[in-house]
Amino acid sequence: MAIHERSLVDPERVLRKERLVIDGIDVSGDWNLIILPRVIEDYDLSFLDEVLEQPEGKTILQCYQCSYCTASCPVHNYWDERYNPRHFIHLARLGLIDELQKRADVMWRCVSCHKCTHRCPKGVLVEEVLKAILRVMAKRGIIEEYPSKKFDKFFLESVYEYGRIEDGELLFGWIEKQGYQVVKDPILKKPIPFMGGVPEWLKQLAVKPIKSMNIGFLILNAKHMLFHPRTKNWNRFKQVLRKVMEEEGVFTH
Amino acid sequence: MAVALQMRKPPMGGIGKRVAYYPGCSLEGAARAYDVSTRIVAKELGLELDYLEDYNCCGAMETKNVTFWGTMLLNARNMSLAKKQGHSVIVAPCNGCSFSLQRAEYFLETDKKVFERINSLLKEGGVDPLTEIPHTYHILEWFYHEAGPEKVKERTKKPLKGLKVANYYGCLYTRPHFYARTYSHGGTEEQERPRMRETADDDEHPYYMEALLEAAGATNVEFEPMHTQCCGGPHSLSDEQVSEKFVMMILQTAKRNGADIIATECPLCHASLEMYRHRLMMKGVPDVDVPAAYFTQLLGIAFGYGAGDVKLKDNLSDPIPVLKRLGLV
């Protein structure tokens, strides 16, 4: 028997028997699969309240579980069946924190393509609601540090510091954070892209402009790496930004 | 302090020939080619870009995931700068930037509390508070509406004859309709959404880039539904496996539909496509060797500019051999 959305059923609650006889009647074949009922006791409704407190999470109550979001989601369709936005919203509203925690390894995988938000017939900002759920989970410590969050923070630090970002610095800074060995020049302490333990594909990519004698591109990027592009009069604004982010509890410095 | 928030109707009618130009961080770094070619195309089409002085990063998707108020504040600062320069329209060439500004626009317009708090914070940070919220458009929309295919046709000196293009729009150009205000062009009056705007592209089947490139003489290949499929976006560095698979699907669809080149309109999508194309080719994955170029670069070539003028060498996927074969550069 096929189960629609099989990933939502815990494997330990599914019983499948080769031969099944009930009251002396052989029911093997079509009726050999049983899903044990589940009794929910440990729900926590304060989770929903915390999601609603987030400015982006307000539309969560409009959801009527039609699953249009899940049907549109590229992560669900092309990567992992267990990534199911509709179900995450359902669990958050019921306050089933254990169930959310079981899915913590896929919950961060949203690529922010906004197909779900765009197509939602009820006007739920699905992508934003999911990010609000993730944030509450992180606050409660039921989801561990995940790669995209590390990257988000790394990005935010750069924006906070200079007001602008620089592609090369971001890329090689991230590579270094991943544990690869990045060689830096001794004087300015800036990374040298094509040396050290940088992944091979990236080394080749970095060498490409040199091979094609693209001097303009190299000079521009070297200039940006040396003198980080920054916004003028940023310091005063930075203080306000800091204050706001401290209130939200995201500042880590 | 309470600035009266006027709940305004969505902007209707034209966008204007002279707008504030918000290039974003990428266009002044690795995506310099897009910036240069955009300026060339705008000049040729008789449109004027007024560079937004001293702007800051829009925060992209990464900042949005971490802090709501911080992102609002970053975008409100840019809006305030545009107002200061006397503009009520901002044009951004990057999907991420236009998304961030439009998102801020949405929250500032629909939530009075957000508007008031942001204004008081702006004052504290030494920036003029917002009295009116400027609208943000993607540069493609602007080109289509203020110049249009007819003008492109008129300006074309060297038609892109025989060039088969797959038009890649990416995610945030048309989505979500709450922010981008797109709507279904085939839909009836009742189906139109309340926040739609007249100039916006079709939401599920965008065609502005196709129309402009076709006017420049190129042939468009079938590219649905991959034309709005995600490239990995904000996860292109932090979640390599997923991004690689998405890019593989995009490139293979383009190649198998007979495309010579992929036209892009976002520096992030472009970088992601080129980066993973290189990686996939090193792994020996079949049918992924389609180069990518910004649509403005292709238009620039059609307008008679050389490969150096539109900085084709900056593209890591190297589209020059393809264009050379057709005698375009």
Side-chain angles (χ1 to χ4, degrees):
Chain A
M1 187 171 64
I3 306 173
H4 181 58
E5 293 198 304
R6 176 68 187 263
S7 61
L8 303 185
V9 184
D10 291 337
E12 61 263 28
R13 289 214 321 282
V14 177
L15 285 184
R16 187 194 284 276
K17 296 202 167 159
E18 281 305 311
R19 276 188 63 77
L20 184 62
V21 179
I22 298 175
D23 297 342
I25 302 164
D26 190 347
V27 291
S28 314
D30 280 354
W31 303 97
N32 66 342
L33 191 141
I34 298 162
I35 302 170
L36 296 178
R38 179 177 64 173
V39 181
I40 298 170
E41 291 161 342
D42 49 345
Y43 51 84
D44 180 359
L45 292 179
S46 66
F47 188 89
L48 180 62
D49 294 337
E50 271 181 58
V51 175
L52 285 169
E53 273 170 28
Q54 312 273 329
E56 304 106 309
K58 279 177 188 153
T59 50
I60 188 172
L61 293 178
Q62 292 167 24
C63 174
Y64 63 1
Q65 297 284 303
C66 68
S67 209
Y68 209 161
C69 45
T70 304
S72 308
C73 180
V75 181
H76 176 83
N77 289 323
Y78 303 133
W79 187 254
D80 192 344
E81 204 195 13
R82 285 172 63 234
Y83 187 85
N84 190 333
R86 176 197 65 76
H87 194 51
F88 298 155
I89 290 178
H90 182 61
L91 294 175
R93 289 210 303 205
L94 289 181
L96 294 178
I97 294 167
D98 284 5
E99 295 290 317
L100 279 174
Q101 195 167 13
K102 270 184 207 162
R103 289 158 180 83
D105 57 324
V106 287
M107 278 203 69
W108 62 272
R109 279 233 139 98
C110 169
V111 286
S112 298
C113 76
H114 284 80
K115 272 189 179 150
C116 46
T117 311
H118 178 75
R119 292 178 181 169
C120 178
K122 286 289 283 172
V124 181
L125 303 177
V126 185
E127 192 262 0
E128 313 242 359
V129 166
L130 290 174
K131 291 286 152 69
I133 292 173
L134 260 184
R135 214 179 291 167
V136 176
M137 282 171 77
K139 211 190 257 174
R140 294 194 169 201
I142 51 180
I143 186 166
E144 283 167 23
E145 208 51 1
Y146 43 93
S148 76
K149 192 182 175 189
K150 267 189 235 165
F151 184 72
D152 291 347
K153 287 219 163 143
F154 180 57
F155 188 96
L156 181 60
E157 274 166 28
S158 191
V159 176
Y160 171 77
E161 200 56 47
Y162 303 104
R164 282 188 208 179
I165 54 156
E166 206 280 305
D167 307 1
E169 192 201 70
L170 207 65
L171 180 59
F172 288 102
W174 177 246
I175 293 282
E176 197 176 7
K177 252 195 161 160
Q178 298 280 84
Y180 292 106
Q181 182 220 345
V182 174
V183 176
K184 290 179 178 177
D185 72 288
I187 305 157
L188 294 155
K189 304 270 180 266
K190 297 287 174 188
I192 302 171
F194 41 84
M195 284 173 78
V198 176
E200 192 54 39
W201 65 274
L202 195 61
K203 262 188 207 175
Q204 284 196 17
L205 216 56
V207 172
K208 253 188 165 174
I210 303 174
K211 275 189 183 158
S212 65
M213 296 283 283
N214 197 348
I215 306 298
F217 186 76
L218 288 173
I219 290 175
L220 177 96
N221 280 298
K223 193 188 116 197
H224 274 191
M225 288 274 249
L226 293 181
F227 309 103
H228 199 293
R230 44 174 86 228
T231 307
K232 276 174 264 159
N233 311 321
W234 185 246
N235 275 346
R236 188 168 163 201
F237 198 75
K238 200 167 148 180
Q239 300 308 319
V240 185
L241 210 58
R242 190 195 176 104
K243 191 189 90 179
V244 169
M245 292 201 290
E246 265 170 2
E247 269 172 39
E248 280 182 293
V250 293
F251 218 79
T252 47
H253 283 299
Chain B
M1 76 123 250
V3 179
L5 170 63
Q6 305 137 354
M7 282 294 281
R8 292 183 309 159
K9 280 187 177 171
M12 289 292 175
I15 303 167
K17 300 262 187 227
R18 190 170 178 276
V19 295
Y21 174 53
Y22 175 80
C25 311
S26 280
L27 265 77
E28 301 204 283
R32 173 183 65 145
Y34 194 18
D35 185 41
V36 171
S37 55
T38 297
R39 283 167 194 275
I40 285 176
V41 171
K43 202 179 87 192
E44 283 287 321
L45 296 177
L47 305 170
E48 204 184 328
L49 294 163
D50 188 13
Y51 181 83
L52 192 63
E53 291 293 337
D54 201 28
Y55 67 85
N56 56 269
C57 175
C58 68
M61 215 48 83
E62 286 81 358
T63 309
K64 170 193 141 299
N65 292 344
V66 184
T67 157
F68 174 81
W69 290 104
T71 315
M72 283 292 132
L73 205 53
L74 287 169
N75 287 296
R77 184 178 178 275
N78 289 328
M79 287 180 174
S80 172
L81 293 179
K83 276 270 141 217
K84 203 176 174 185
Q85 287 190 26
H87 292 287
S88 59
V89 168
I90 305 173
V91 159
C94 167
N95 279 357
C97 299
S98 67
F99 168 85
S100 292
L101 285 157
Q102 283 165 347
R103 178 174 180 267
E105 197 183 307
Y106 173 82
F107 278 102
L108 289 170
E109 273 186 2
T110 53
D111 199 335
K112 208 167 180 172
K113 267 187 211 156
V114 174
F115 185 79
E116 275 164 16
R117 176 150 193 233
I118 286 297
N119 258 348
S120 67
L121 286 170
L122 281 179
K123 230 178 206 174
E124 211 178 307
V127 186
D128 299 343
L130 289 162
T131 46
E132 203 189 346
I133 304 153
H135 294 296
T136 305
Y137 298 81
H138 193 278
I139 204 144
L140 182 53
E141 203 181 325
W142 185 55
F143 282 159
Y144 185 85
H145 269 276
E146 290 304 321
E150 302 83 35
K151 185 108 184 187
V152 171
K153 210 169 200 170
E154 188 192 311
R155 286 275 157 192
T156 301
K157 291 185 192 118
K158 196 165 43 169
L160 304 168
K161 245 196 188 112
L163 187 66
K164 291 191 194 114
V165 186
N167 297 280
Y168 180 67
Y169 294 88
C171 299
L172 303 170
Y173 169 60
T174 54
R175 289 193 297 263
H177 67 84
F178 295 95
Y179 309 153
R181 299 174 169 193
T182 48
Y183 63 101
S184 172
H185 287 198
T188 57
E189 201 72 21
E190 297 90 68
Q191 281 171 327
E192 283 170 5
R193 276 116 175 184
R195 276 180 60 82
M196 73 92 170
R197 84 183 156 218
E198 215 174 43
T199 57
D201 207 339
D202 191 298
D203 56 352
E204 298 280 359
H205 311 283
Y207 60 88
Y208 284 3
M209 187 155 50
E210 275 159 70
L212 293 182
L213 288 174
E214 205 174 285
T219 320
N220 295 303
V221 301
E222 178 69 37
F223 201 34
E224 283 195 28
M226 286 300 152
H227 61 347
T228 54
Q229 167 69 40
C230 183
C231 64
H235 282 198
S236 37
L237 287 177
S238 52
D239 194 357
E240 293 171 11
Q241 297 157 304
V242 171
S243 310
E244 198 173 284
K245 185 168 183 194
F246 286 179
V247 171
M248 187 186 81
M249 283 160 54
I250 293 163
L251 293 175
Q252 286 189 338
T253 310
K255 183 77 184 176
R256 286 169 187 169
N257 289 355
D260 294 325
I261 201 164
I262 295 186
T264 55
E265 42 105 306
C266 167
L268 259 161
C269 301
H270 186 90
S272 190
L273 287 183
E274 288 194 321
M275 225 166 75
Y276 284 104
R277 173 185 177 272
H278 182 77
R279 247 174 85 156
L280 287 163
M281 280 173 79
M282 275 180 74
K283 280 188 183 173
V285 179
D287 294 348
V288 289
D289 54 338
V290 204
Y294 298 107
F295 80 103
T296 46
Q297 284 180 314
L298 296 178
L299 285 179
I301 287 168
F303 293 162
Y305 288 83
D309 298 328
V310 293
K311 307 257 179 261
L312 272 178
K313 260 190 181 177
D314 278 15
N315 296 16
L316 294 165
S317 55
D318 201 8
I320 295 176
V322 172
L323 296 169
K324 225 174 212 166
R325 206 184 64 219
L326 295 163
L328 292 168
V329 293

